[in-house]
PDB file of all heavy atoms in Angstrom:
ATOM      1  N   SER F   1      66.326 -24.202  13.871  1.00 91.00           N
ATOM      2  CA  SER F   1      65.470 -23.289  14.600  1.00 91.00           C
ATOM      3  C   SER F   1      66.150 -22.966  15.921  1.00 91.00           C
ATOM      4  O   SER F   1      66.273 -23.838  16.787  1.00 91.00           O
ATOM      5  CB  SER F   1      64.095 -23.919  14.853  1.00 91.00           C
ATOM      6  OG  SER F   1      63.258 -23.038  15.564  1.00 91.00           O
ATOM      7  N   PRO F   2      66.640 -21.750  16.100  1.00 83.00           N
ATOM      8  CA  PRO F   2      67.333 -21.421  17.347  1.00 83.00           C
ATOM      9  C   PRO F   2      66.385 -21.441  18.532  1.00 83.00           C
ATOM     10  O   PRO F   2      65.170 -21.257  18.383  1.00 83.00           O
ATOM     11  CB  PRO F   2      67.867 -20.007  17.084  1.00 83.00           C
ATOM     12  CG  PRO F   2      66.960 -19.443  16.046  1.00 83.00           C
ATOM     13  CD  PRO F   2      66.540 -20.593  15.186  1.00 83.00           C
ATOM     14  N   ALA F   3      66.945 -21.655  19.721  1.00 75.00           N
ATOM     15  CA  ALA F   3      66.142 -21.581  20.932  1.00 75.00           C
ATOM     16  C   ALA F   3      65.595 -20.167  21.095  1.00 75.00           C
ATOM     17  O   ALA F   3      66.230 -19.190  20.699  1.00 75.00           O
ATOM     18  CB  ALA F   3      66.992 -21.962  22.150  1.00 75.00           C
ATOM     19  N   LEU F   4      64.414 -20.058  21.653  1.00 75.00           N
ATOM     20  CA  LEU F   4      63.818 -18.748  21.856  1.00 75.00           C
ATOM     21  C   LEU F   4      64.680 -17.913  22.798  1.00 75.00           C
ATOM     22  O   LEU F   4      65.240 -18.429  23.763  1.00 75.00           O
ATOM     23  CB  LEU F   4      62.402 -18.888  22.419  1.00 75.00           C
ATOM     24  CG  LEU F   4      61.370 -19.567  21.497  1.00 75.00           C
ATOM     25  CD1 LEU F   4      59.995 -19.507  22.134  1.00 75.00           C
ATOM     26  CD2 LEU F   4      61.343 -18.904  20.123  1.00 75.00           C
ATOM     27  N   SER F   5      64.799 -16.627  22.489  1.00 65.00           N
ATOM     28  CA  SER F   5      65.634 -15.749  23.303  1.00 65.00           C
ATOM     29  C   SER F   5      65.105 -15.670  24.728  1.00 65.00           C
ATOM     30  O   SER F   5      63.897 -15.759  24.972  1.00 65.00           O
ATOM     31  CB  SER F   5      65.656 -14.350  22.681  1.00 65.00           C
ATOM     32  OG  SER F   5      64.354 -13.803  22.617  1.00 65.00           O
ATOM     33  N   GLY F   6      66.022 -15.535  25.660  1.00 72.00           N
ATOM     34  CA  GLY F   6      65.659 -15.432  27.064  1.00 72.00           C
ATOM     35  C   GLY F   6      65.621 -16.754  27.794  1.00 72.00           C
ATOM     36  O   GLY F   6      65.458 -16.784  29.020  1.00 72.00           O
ATOM     37  N   LEU F   7      65.775 -17.858  27.057  1.00 74.00           N
ATOM     38  CA  LEU F   7      65.774 -19.179  27.679  1.00 74.00           C
ATOM     39  C   LEU F   7      67.202 -19.702  27.786  1.00 74.00           C
ATOM     40  O   LEU F   7      68.054 -19.391  26.948  1.00 74.00           O
ATOM     41  CB  LEU F   7      64.936 -20.159  26.846  1.00 74.00           C
ATOM     42  CG  LEU F   7      63.435 -19.893  26.752  1.00 74.00           C
ATOM     43  CD1 LEU F   7      62.789 -20.891  25.802  1.00 74.00           C
ATOM     44  CD2 LEU F   7      62.777 -19.973  28.120  1.00 74.00           C
ATOM     45  N   PRO F   8      67.480 -20.515  28.792  1.00 77.00           N
ATOM     46  CA  PRO F   8      68.807 -21.134  28.860  1.00 77.00           C
ATOM     47  C   PRO F   8      69.005 -22.086  27.686  1.00 77.00           C
ATOM     48  O   PRO F   8      68.058 -22.751  27.252  1.00 77.00           O
ATOM     49  CB  PRO F   8      68.771 -21.894  30.186  1.00 77.00           C
ATOM     50  CG  PRO F   8      67.318 -22.102  30.478  1.00 77.00           C
ATOM     51  CD  PRO F   8      66.618 -20.903  29.921  1.00 77.00           C
ATOM     52  N   ASP F   9      70.224 -22.127  27.159  1.00 82.00           N
ATOM     53  CA  ASP F   9      70.529 -23.007  26.035  1.00 82.00           C
ATOM     54  C   ASP F   9      70.593 -24.449  26.530  1.00 82.00           C
ATOM     55  O   ASP F   9      71.462 -24.814  27.315  1.00 82.00           O
ATOM     56  CB  ASP F   9      71.866 -22.600  25.412  1.00 82.00           C
ATOM     57  CG  ASP F   9      72.192 -23.403  24.161  1.00 82.00           C
ATOM     58  OD1 ASP F   9      71.446 -24.357  23.844  1.00 82.00           O
ATOM     59  OD2 ASP F   9      73.195 -23.099  23.504  1.00 82.00           O
ATOM     60  N   ARG F  10      69.672 -25.269  26.075  1.00 88.00           N
ATOM     61  CA  ARG F  10      69.612 -26.668  26.502  1.00 88.00           C
ATOM     62  C   ARG F  10      70.341 -27.603  25.540  1.00 88.00           C
ATOM     63  O   ARG F  10      70.242 -28.816  25.663  1.00 88.00           O
ATOM     64  CB  ARG F  10      68.154 -27.108  26.662  1.00 88.00           C
ATOM     65  CG  ARG F  10      67.406 -26.339  27.757  1.00 88.00           C
ATOM     66  CD  ARG F  10      66.009 -26.897  27.961  1.00 88.00           C
ATOM     67  NE  ARG F  10      65.285 -26.198  29.006  1.00 88.00           N
ATOM     68  CZ  ARG F  10      65.383 -26.455  30.308  1.00 88.00           C
ATOM     69  NH1 ARG F  10      66.215 -27.405  30.729  1.00 88.00           N
ATOM     70  NH2 ARG F  10      64.673 -25.771  31.180  1.00 88.00           N
ATOM     71  N   GLY F  11      71.066 -27.055  24.585  1.00 93.00           N
ATOM     72  CA  GLY F  11      71.822 -27.880  23.660  1.00 93.00           C
ATOM     73  C   GLY F  11      71.067 -28.129  22.374  1.00 93.00           C
ATOM     74  O   GLY F  11      69.976 -27.607  22.139  1.00 93.00           O
ATOM     75  N   ALA F  12      71.675 -28.948  21.519  1.00 96.00           N
ATOM     76  CA  ALA F  12      71.142 -29.193  20.181  1.00 96.00           C
ATOM     77  C   ALA F  12      70.386 -30.508  20.120  1.00 96.00           C
ATOM     78  O   ALA F  12      70.768 -31.503  20.746  1.00 96.00           O
ATOM     79  CB  ALA F  12      72.273 -29.198  19.159  1.00 96.00           C
ATOM     80  N   VAL F  13      69.323 -30.500  19.325  1.00 97.00           N
ATOM     81  CA  VAL F  13      68.560 -31.710  19.006  1.00 97.00           C
ATOM     82  C   VAL F  13      68.527 -31.837  17.495  1.00 97.00           C
ATOM     83  O   VAL F  13      68.213 -30.865  16.792  1.00 97.00           O
ATOM     84  CB  VAL F  13      67.123 -31.641  19.558  1.00 97.00           C
ATOM     85  CG1 VAL F  13      66.334 -32.882  19.152  1.00 97.00           C
ATOM     86  CG2 VAL F  13      67.126 -31.492  21.071  1.00 97.00           C
ATOM     87  N   LEU F  14      68.865 -33.016  16.991  1.00 98.00           N
ATOM     88  CA  LEU F  14      68.844 -33.277  15.550  1.00 98.00           C
ATOM     89  C   LEU F  14      67.744 -34.291  15.257  1.00 98.00           C
ATOM     90  O   LEU F  14      67.749 -35.401  15.806  1.00 98.00           O
ATOM     91  CB  LEU F  14      70.205 -33.804  15.084  1.00 98.00           C
ATOM     92  CG  LEU F  14      70.353 -34.181  13.605  1.00 98.00           C
ATOM     93  CD1 LEU F  14      69.924 -33.052  12.690  1.00 98.00           C
ATOM     94  CD2 LEU F  14      71.804 -34.578  13.315  1.00 98.00           C
ATOM     95  N   LEU F  15      66.801 -33.910  14.406  1.00 98.00           N
ATOM     96  CA  LEU F  15      65.636 -34.727  14.071  1.00 98.00           C
ATOM     97  C   LEU F  15      65.874 -35.448  12.744  1.00 98.00           C
ATOM     98  O   LEU F  15      66.287 -34.829  11.764  1.00 98.00           O
ATOM     99  CB  LEU F  15      64.394 -33.848  13.964  1.00 98.00           C
ATOM    100  CG  LEU F  15      64.089 -32.944  15.176  1.00 98.00           C
ATOM    101  CD1 LEU F  15      62.919 -32.016  14.862  1.00 98.00           C
ATOM    102  CD2 LEU F  15      63.802 -33.775  16.412  1.00 98.00           C
ATOM    103  N   VAL F  16      65.579 -36.762  12.713  1.00 98.00           N
ATOM    104  CA  VAL F  16      65.807 -37.581  11.518  1.00 98.00           C
ATOM    105  C   VAL F  16      64.485 -38.211  11.094  1.00 98.00           C
ATOM    106  O   VAL F  16      63.891 -38.998  11.845  1.00 98.00           O
ATOM    107  CB  VAL F  16      66.863 -38.674  11.777  1.00 98.00           C
ATOM    108  CG1 VAL F  16      67.228 -39.366  10.465  1.00 98.00           C
ATOM    109  CG2 VAL F  16      68.106 -38.090  12.440  1.00 98.00           C
ATOM    110  N   HIS F  17      64.024 -37.863   9.908  1.00 98.00           N
ATOM    111  CA  HIS F  17      62.709 -38.297   9.422  1.00 98.00           C
ATOM    112  C   HIS F  17      62.714 -39.749   8.961  1.00 98.00           C
ATOM    113  O   HIS F  17      63.761 -40.399   8.849  1.00 98.00           O
ATOM    114  CB  HIS F  17      62.271 -37.388   8.269  1.00 98.00           C
ATOM    115  CG  HIS F  17      63.159 -37.505   7.052  1.00 98.00           C
ATOM    116  ND1 HIS F  17      63.070 -38.536   6.156  1.00 98.00           N
ATOM    117  CD2 HIS F  17      64.175 -36.706   6.600  1.00 98.00           C
ATOM    118  CE1 HIS F  17      63.966 -38.382   5.188  1.00 98.00           C
ATOM    119  NE2 HIS F  17      64.665 -37.277   5.432  1.00 98.00           N
ATOM    120  N   GLY F  18      61.516 -40.245   8.643  1.00 98.00           N
ATOM    121  CA  GLY F  18      61.345 -41.610   8.177  1.00 98.00           C
ATOM    122  C   GLY F  18      61.250 -41.723   6.667  1.00 98.00           C
ATOM    123  O   GLY F  18      61.413 -40.748   5.924  1.00 98.00           O
ATOM    124  N   PHE F  19      60.950 -42.942   6.197  1.00 97.00           N
ATOM    125  CA  PHE F  19      60.874 -43.232   4.772  1.00 97.00           C
ATOM    126  C   PHE F  19      59.795 -42.371   4.094  1.00 97.00           C
ATOM    127  O   PHE F  19      58.677 -42.248   4.582  1.00 97.00           O
ATOM    128  CB  PHE F  19      60.560 -44.713   4.535  1.00 97.00           C
ATOM    129  CG  PHE F  19      60.264 -45.041   3.107  1.00 97.00           C
ATOM    130  CD1 PHE F  19      61.277 -45.039   2.166  1.00 97.00           C
ATOM    131  CD2 PHE F  19      58.971 -45.315   2.693  1.00 97.00           C
ATOM    132  CE1 PHE F  19      61.012 -45.317   0.829  1.00 97.00           C
ATOM    133  CE2 PHE F  19      58.693 -45.604   1.363  1.00 97.00           C
ATOM    134  CZ  PHE F  19      59.712 -45.608   0.431  1.00 97.00           C
ATOM    135  N   GLY F  20      60.175 -41.788   2.961  1.00 96.00           N
ATOM    136  CA  GLY F  20      59.239 -41.008   2.168  1.00 96.00           C
ATOM    137  C   GLY F  20      58.955 -39.624   2.712  1.00 96.00           C
ATOM    138  O   GLY F  20      58.191 -38.871   2.095  1.00 96.00           O
ATOM    139  N   ALA F  21      59.539 -39.280   3.846  1.00 98.00           N
ATOM    140  CA  ALA F  21      59.243 -38.005   4.480  1.00 98.00           C
ATOM    141  C   ALA F  21      60.407 -37.035   4.282  1.00 98.00           C
ATOM    142  O   ALA F  21      61.264 -37.217   3.408  1.00 98.00           O
ATOM    143  CB  ALA F  21      58.932 -38.204   5.963  1.00 98.00           C
ATOM    144  N   SER F  22      60.441 -35.998   5.106  1.00 98.00           N
ATOM    145  CA  SER F  22      61.463 -34.962   5.020  1.00 98.00           C
ATOM    146  C   SER F  22      61.475 -34.224   6.351  1.00 98.00           C
ATOM    147  O   SER F  22      60.700 -34.548   7.263  1.00 98.00           O
ATOM    148  CB  SER F  22      61.136 -33.981   3.885  1.00 98.00           C
ATOM    149  OG  SER F  22      59.934 -33.264   4.185  1.00 98.00           O
ATOM    150  N   TRP F  23      62.335 -33.193   6.459  1.00 98.00           N
ATOM    151  CA  TRP F  23      62.350 -32.442   7.711  1.00 98.00           C
ATOM    152  C   TRP F  23      61.004 -31.788   7.977  1.00 98.00           C
ATOM    153  O   TRP F  23      60.653 -31.509   9.131  1.00 98.00           O
ATOM    154  CB  TRP F  23      63.472 -31.408   7.723  1.00 98.00           C
ATOM    155  CG  TRP F  23      63.337 -30.256   6.770  1.00 98.00           C
ATOM    156  CD1 TRP F  23      63.991 -30.097   5.587  1.00 98.00           C
ATOM    157  CD2 TRP F  23      62.523 -29.082   6.934  1.00 98.00           C
ATOM    158  NE1 TRP F  23      63.624 -28.904   4.991  1.00 98.00           N
ATOM    159  CE2 TRP F  23      62.732 -28.257   5.807  1.00 98.00           C
ATOM    160  CE3 TRP F  23      61.641 -28.647   7.922  1.00 98.00           C
ATOM    161  CZ2 TRP F  23      62.078 -27.039   5.636  1.00 98.00           C
ATOM    162  CZ3 TRP F  23      60.985 -27.424   7.751  1.00 98.00           C
ATOM    163  CH2 TRP F  23      61.213 -26.640   6.625  1.00 98.00           C
ATOM    164  N   ARG F  24      60.206 -31.566   6.960  1.00 97.00           N
ATOM    165  CA  ARG F  24      58.899 -30.932   7.142  1.00 97.00           C
ATOM    166  C   ARG F  24      57.934 -31.808   7.935  1.00 97.00           C
ATOM    167  O   ARG F  24      56.915 -31.311   8.442  1.00 97.00           O
ATOM    168  CB  ARG F  24      58.301 -30.555   5.782  1.00 97.00           C
ATOM    169  CG  ARG F  24      59.055 -29.427   5.098  1.00 97.00           C
ATOM    170  CD  ARG F  24      58.554 -29.175   3.690  1.00 97.00           C
ATOM    171  NE  ARG F  24      59.189 -27.998   3.103  1.00 97.00           N
ATOM    172  CZ  ARG F  24      60.396 -27.975   2.573  1.00 97.00           C
ATOM    173  NH1 ARG F  24      61.116 -29.088   2.550  1.00 97.00           N
ATOM    174  NH2 ARG F  24      60.903 -26.872   2.077  1.00 97.00           N
ATOM    175  N   HIS F  25      58.241 -33.078   8.044  1.00 98.00           N
ATOM    176  CA  HIS F  25      57.379 -33.961   8.833  1.00 98.00           C
ATOM    177  C   HIS F  25      57.479 -33.660  10.328  1.00 98.00           C
ATOM    178  O   HIS F  25      56.665 -34.138  11.118  1.00 98.00           O
ATOM    179  CB  HIS F  25      57.740 -35.429   8.570  1.00 98.00           C
ATOM    180  CG  HIS F  25      56.631 -36.382   8.864  1.00 98.00           C
ATOM    181  ND1 HIS F  25      56.851 -37.715   9.138  1.00 98.00           N
ATOM    182  CD2 HIS F  25      55.289 -36.206   8.934  1.00 98.00           C
ATOM    183  CE1 HIS F  25      55.711 -38.312   9.364  1.00 98.00           C
ATOM    184  NE2 HIS F  25      54.737 -37.424   9.239  1.00 98.00           N
ATOM    185  N   TRP F  26      58.461 -32.840  10.708  1.00 98.00           N
ATOM    186  CA  TRP F  26      58.608 -32.398  12.098  1.00 98.00           C
ATOM    187  C   TRP F  26      57.945 -31.035  12.285  1.00 98.00           C
ATOM    188  O   TRP F  26      58.316 -30.270  13.166  1.00 98.00           O
ATOM    189  CB  TRP F  26      60.088 -32.325  12.462  1.00 98.00           C
ATOM    190  CG  TRP F  26      60.813 -33.616  12.322  1.00 98.00           C
ATOM    191  CD1 TRP F  26      61.673 -33.970  11.314  1.00 98.00           C
ATOM    192  CD2 TRP F  26      60.764 -34.745  13.205  1.00 98.00           C
ATOM    193  NE1 TRP F  26      62.149 -35.244  11.518  1.00 98.00           N
ATOM    194  CE2 TRP F  26      61.609 -35.743  12.678  1.00 98.00           C
ATOM    195  CE3 TRP F  26      60.080 -34.995  14.405  1.00 98.00           C
ATOM    196  CZ2 TRP F  26      61.798 -36.980  13.299  1.00 98.00           C
ATOM    197  CZ3 TRP F  26      60.255 -36.227  15.014  1.00 98.00           C
ATOM    198  CH2 TRP F  26      61.100 -37.199  14.466  1.00 98.00           C
ATOM    199  N   ARG F  27      56.953 -30.717  11.483  1.00 97.00           N
ATOM    200  CA  ARG F  27      56.320 -29.398  11.484  1.00 97.00           C
ATOM    201  C   ARG F  27      55.733 -29.017  12.841  1.00 97.00           C
ATOM    202  O   ARG F  27      55.690 -27.829  13.188  1.00 97.00           O
ATOM    203  CB  ARG F  27      55.220 -29.364  10.403  1.00 97.00           C
ATOM    204  CG  ARG F  27      54.168 -30.472  10.575  1.00 97.00           C
ATOM    205  CD  ARG F  27      53.195 -30.553   9.439  1.00 97.00           C
ATOM    206  NE  ARG F  27      52.274 -31.685   9.612  1.00 97.00           N
ATOM    207  CZ  ARG F  27      51.043 -31.713   9.124  1.00 97.00           C
ATOM    208  NH1 ARG F  27      50.572 -30.667   8.452  1.00 97.00           N
ATOM    209  NH2 ARG F  27      50.285 -32.773   9.312  1.00 97.00           N
ATOM    210  N   HIS F  28      55.274 -29.996  13.620  1.00 97.00           N
ATOM    211  CA  HIS F  28      54.708 -29.704  14.938  1.00 97.00           C
ATOM    212  C   HIS F  28      55.724 -29.907  16.064  1.00 97.00           C
ATOM    213  O   HIS F  28      55.452 -29.509  17.200  1.00 97.00           O
ATOM    214  CB  HIS F  28      53.496 -30.599  15.198  1.00 97.00           C
ATOM    215  CG  HIS F  28      52.406 -30.449  14.178  1.00 97.00           C
ATOM    216  ND1 HIS F  28      51.767 -29.255  13.939  1.00 97.00           N
ATOM    217  CD2 HIS F  28      51.850 -31.348  13.326  1.00 97.00           C
ATOM    218  CE1 HIS F  28      50.855 -29.423  12.990  1.00 97.00           C
ATOM    219  NE2 HIS F  28      50.892 -30.674  12.602  1.00 97.00           N
ATOM    220  N   THR F  29      56.855 -30.521  15.750  1.00 98.00           N
ATOM    221  CA  THR F  29      57.869 -30.816  16.766  1.00 98.00           C
ATOM    222  C   THR F  29      58.856 -29.672  16.922  1.00 98.00           C
ATOM    223  O   THR F  29      59.229 -29.303  18.040  1.00 98.00           O
ATOM    224  CB  THR F  29      58.631 -32.105  16.389  1.00 98.00           C
ATOM    225  OG1 THR F  29      57.699 -33.149  16.096  1.00 98.00           O
ATOM    226  CG2 THR F  29      59.550 -32.542  17.511  1.00 98.00           C
ATOM    227  N   ILE F  30      59.299 -29.119  15.800  1.00 96.00           N
ATOM    228  CA  ILE F  30      60.336 -28.089  15.834  1.00 96.00           C
ATOM    229  C   ILE F  30      59.927 -26.884  16.685  1.00 96.00           C
ATOM    230  O   ILE F  30      60.703 -26.456  17.551  1.00 96.00           O
ATOM    231  CB  ILE F  30      60.716 -27.661  14.400  1.00 96.00           C
ATOM    232  CG1 ILE F  30      61.398 -28.828  13.667  1.00 96.00           C
ATOM    233  CG2 ILE F  30      61.634 -26.447  14.417  1.00 96.00           C
ATOM    234  CD1 ILE F  30      61.658 -28.580  12.180  1.00 96.00           C
ATOM    235  N   PRO F  31      58.725 -26.315  16.510  1.00 95.00           N
ATOM    236  CA  PRO F  31      58.376 -25.152  17.338  1.00 95.00           C
ATOM    237  C   PRO F  31      58.328 -25.473  18.829  1.00 95.00           C
ATOM    238  O   PRO F  31      58.752 -24.645  19.652  1.00 95.00           O
ATOM    239  CB  PRO F  31      56.985 -24.758  16.821  1.00 95.00           C
ATOM    240  CG  PRO F  31      56.886 -25.344  15.460  1.00 95.00           C
ATOM    241  CD  PRO F  31      57.675 -26.618  15.518  1.00 95.00           C
ATOM    242  N   ALA F  32      57.848 -26.668  19.190  1.00 95.00           N
ATOM    243  CA  ALA F  32      57.748 -27.024  20.605  1.00 95.00           C
ATOM    244  C   ALA F  32      59.118 -27.167  21.239  1.00 95.00           C
ATOM    245  O   ALA F  32      59.338 -26.724  22.379  1.00 95.00           O
ATOM    246  CB  ALA F  32      56.953 -28.321  20.756  1.00 95.00           C
ATOM    247  N   LEU F  33      60.060 -27.773  20.542  1.00 95.00           N
ATOM    248  CA  LEU F  33      61.400 -27.957  21.106  1.00 95.00           C
ATOM    249  C   LEU F  33      62.155 -26.630  21.153  1.00 95.00           C
ATOM    250  O   LEU F  33      62.894 -26.370  22.105  1.00 95.00           O
ATOM    251  CB  LEU F  33      62.184 -28.984  20.290  1.00 95.00           C
ATOM    252  CG  LEU F  33      61.605 -30.403  20.241  1.00 95.00           C
ATOM    253  CD1 LEU F  33      62.584 -31.352  19.560  1.00 95.00           C
ATOM    254  CD2 LEU F  33      61.243 -30.912  21.631  1.00 95.00           C
ATOM    255  N   SER F  34      61.961 -25.808  20.135  1.00 93.00           N
ATOM    256  CA  SER F  34      62.592 -24.490  20.141  1.00 93.00           C
ATOM    257  C   SER F  34      62.069 -23.658  21.310  1.00 93.00           C
ATOM    258  O   SER F  34      62.843 -22.975  22.001  1.00 93.00           O
ATOM    259  CB  SER F  34      62.317 -23.780  18.813  1.00 93.00           C
ATOM    260  OG  SER F  34      62.904 -22.502  18.779  1.00 93.00           O
ATOM    261  N   ALA F  35      60.769 -23.729  21.555  1.00 92.00           N
ATOM    262  CA  ALA F  35      60.169 -22.981  22.660  1.00 92.00           C
ATOM    263  C   ALA F  35      60.628 -23.490  24.012  1.00 92.00           C
ATOM    264  O   ALA F  35      60.543 -22.765  25.014  1.00 92.00           O
ATOM    265  CB  ALA F  35      58.643 -23.056  22.562  1.00 92.00           C
ATOM    266  N   ALA F  36      61.122 -24.729  24.060  1.00 93.00           N
ATOM    267  CA  ALA F  36      61.607 -25.307  25.317  1.00 93.00           C
ATOM    268  C   ALA F  36      63.087 -25.034  25.557  1.00 93.00           C
ATOM    269  O   ALA F  36      63.647 -25.489  26.557  1.00 93.00           O
ATOM    270  CB  ALA F  36      61.355 -26.815  25.331  1.00 93.00           C
ATOM    271  N   GLY F  37      63.736 -24.312  24.632  1.00 91.00           N
ATOM    272  CA  GLY F  37      65.118 -23.922  24.853  1.00 91.00           C
ATOM    273  C   GLY F  37      66.158 -24.705  24.081  1.00 91.00           C
ATOM    274  O   GLY F  37      67.357 -24.548  24.321  1.00 91.00           O
ATOM    275  N   PHE F  38      65.726 -25.535  23.142  1.00 94.00           N
ATOM    276  CA  PHE F  38      66.669 -26.335  22.359  1.00 94.00           C
ATOM    277  C   PHE F  38      66.971 -25.670  21.026  1.00 94.00           C
ATOM    278  O   PHE F  38      66.115 -25.021  20.428  1.00 94.00           O
ATOM    279  CB  PHE F  38      66.108 -27.737  22.106  1.00 94.00           C
ATOM    280  CG  PHE F  38      65.912 -28.550  23.347  1.00 94.00           C
ATOM    281  CD1 PHE F  38      64.660 -28.641  23.935  1.00 94.00           C
ATOM    282  CD2 PHE F  38      66.980 -29.206  23.938  1.00 94.00           C
ATOM    283  CE1 PHE F  38      64.470 -29.382  25.090  1.00 94.00           C
ATOM    284  CE2 PHE F  38      66.799 -29.948  25.093  1.00 94.00           C
ATOM    285  CZ  PHE F  38      65.540 -30.037  25.682  1.00 94.00           C
TER     286      PHE F  38
END
């Protein structure tokens, strides 16, 4: 998920899920971090 346009690039964040889960378990995290410029 790219950082929202118009924000300074704060670098990359890589999210690693837990047992039995998947990247979809970050469903509420990804939009918030993207909106913060990551």
Side-chain angles (χ1 to χ4, degrees):
S1 180
L4 295 186
S5 60
L7 294 175
D9 185 354
R10 297 185 179 276
V13 177
L14 178 53
L15 307 174
V16 189
H17 65 79
F19 171 72
S22 66
W23 68 257
R24 291 173 174 80
H25 203 203
W26 301 104
R27 56 187 176 152
H28 301 300
T29 309
I30 293 173
L33 298 188
S34 180
F38 296 98

